[in-house]
Amino acid sequence: MMRSPAASAVQRTADASRIPVVLAGRTLAVASAGTLLVLLAFTVPLATLSATAADLTAGPGAQAWILSSMSIGCAAALLGSGAVGDDYGRRRMFVAGSLLLAVGSVLGALAPSAWVLVVARIVQGLGGAAVMACGLGLVGHVYPTGPDRARATAVWGAALGAGVAVGPFMAVAAQAVSGWRLAYWLAALGALLLALSGHRRLAESRSASPRRVDVAGMALLGLGLTVLLAGLIEGRTGWTRPITVSLLVGGIALIVGFAVVERRSASPMLDLGLLRRPDFVAATVAALAAGAGVLALMSFTPTLVERGLGGSALAGVSAMFAWSGLSAVTALAARWLPAWITARAQLIGGLLGCAVGQLAVLGLHPGSSIARLLLGLLIAGAANGILNAALGRQAVASVPADRAAMGSGANNTARYVGSAIGLAVVTVIITHAASANGTAGLMSGWNTAAAITAGFTLLGLAIVIFTRPQRRRSK
């Protein structure tokens, strides 16, 4: 039956009034699914490293690269992909990142050697960077500043914890069915579905005043972070080796070069003037401290349970789930925090709780039970969820509205760089102690690592506390 012109006009008006709400919900769902998938892919080697290393004949050095190579791709591309997305289309970059994540996952599933798998993981990281940066940028675009955005970024933050929680279980289950490669095939399928969903369900958004691509800045930062993180990975087998020193010095030099270029550029990828904004500095430092602190320590939990406490691989994954699963729950619960609890207060409370949780796992020894570990994991997980929700909110709130994806990229870059630094420190301390004194040494090394990473978290907390928001002057 045909409608009258008046009825059609009324229907179009009703549909138009519903579009913003529907679009916002779709955007949040797709962006959160993308973040979950990236973290799921990131955690696969945590549960399958032994089988992967045996199949590909990977020694300790290659294993360290398998674990860390996706971090290199993510850190190198987060800021650049976010900036390009802001200027030339966040949906476009999100879909492109999903497809690149699928390509990296297929390459990982087919990898004939450890070093091909390392390359595949780097490609996964490059694609995942665009998904995370532009996904949060899209969320920031469709949700205005205020309670709606706070609730939306809490959901996005919950996806971070959910990905870390689900990933290892998925990998263990896939390995039991058909070997470690199946997890990469599943990640590839998920990435293809994500690209299709993003293309169909997301609306394009970009800055009203696009800038030209900062090629020099992107190249210097991407290469600098890649070289620096490579030096941190190589440092796990010796900090004084020429290759380690060369990589670390070269990476720092390239990053300094990036800062010089950005300072002189008419259209910089990262406006260094943001470093004068207390909210941007606080969010960046909090992300860096979280990476170097709680994320680095908790990433070693499965190894601690298996090699130090005598648990199974499933027990190790389950212990990590206690942290990451609760993190997802409390990030979601952050949606209902009263409005007077500001994002800054959440950053402070989240970092403080993470530090308490890290200190709570001190004092472990070879005779300790897994239950002795759980209290600290639960405290750190609850606090980390609140922190993730606040970081997602501040990543887009602390930059100009048209640079939301860049803000997301900058914040997550800080998180990944911090995680790489912290994980290098944790790994070196624990493995060196274990090689000297076996299981007792491993447990002693864990206690030292827990104290040091708690120090990283507390240092970040102190900086956030003293980085006070600027007061508006009364006219």
Side-chain angles (χ1 to χ4, degrees), residues 145-146 149-151 153-154 278-280 282-283 286 334 337-351 383 385-398 461 464-465 467 469:
T145 301
R149 176 180 285 179
R151 286 190 287 269
T153 52
D279 53 350
F280 180 82
L337 289 174
W340 58 265
I341 301 179
T342 64
R344 181 173 180 271
Q346 291 177 45
L347 291 179
I348 292 172
L351 287 171
I386 299 297
L387 183 61
N388 280 341
L391 286 174
R393 178 179 172 184
Q394 289 301 91
V396 295
S398 62
L461 172 63
V464 171
I465 289 174
T467 307

Side-chain angles (χ1 to χ4, degrees), residues 64-139:
W65 274 92
I66 291 171
L67 285 172
S68 303
S69 47
M70 191 169 172
S71 292
I72 290 180
C74 280
L78 274 163
L79 187 55
S81 60
V84 173
D86 283 330
D87 291 327
Y88 295 96
R90 299 179 184 107
R91 183 186 71 168
R92 181 180 298 174
M93 285 299 296
F94 182 92
V95 172
S98 301
L99 292 173
L100 191 57
L101 178 60
V103 170
S105 300
V106 170
L107 183 59
L110 299 173
S113 68
W115 295 110
V116 173
L117 180 58
V118 167
V119 172
R121 298 276 297 163
I122 292 174
V123 174
Q124 284 183 307
L126 294 172
V131 170
M132 292 184 67
C134 292
L136 185 55
L138 286 161
V139 171

